[in-house]
Amino acid sequence: MEIGFTTDNVEQTIVTAVDAGAIVVEKPKIKPWGQTVAYIRDLDGFLIELCTPMV
């Protein structure tokens, strides 16, 4: 299971999350449709998708 959050700045959100103890699972990638997507794990081990909004 994963939870997803949209943000206008995936890179900065990852920095904030890592500073709070999260672990980067997959660095930001730009998908063919233009959306930036990355994955982190929180302190409880939950997989979290961070992505820009779909346009």
Side-chain angles (χ1 to χ4, degrees):
M1 178 168 42
E2 77 177 54
I3 187 169
F5 294 100
T6 59
T7 177
D8 291 328
N9 191 331
V10 172
E11 292 81 3
Q12 183 57 50
T13 303
I14 288 174
V15 169
T16 302
V18 168
D19 287 348
I23 298 169
V24 177
V25 174
E26 187 174 319
K27 293 180 180 180
K29 292 183 182 173
I30 299 175
K31 299 295 186 175
W33 51 90
Q35 186 183 36
T36 302
V37 179
Y39 293 90
I40 60 171
R41 271 200 199 278
D42 72 5
L43 294 172
D44 294 317
F46 290 100
L47 183 62
I48 300 172
E49 175 185 12
L50 300 172
C51 59
T52 54
M54 293 289 291
V55 183

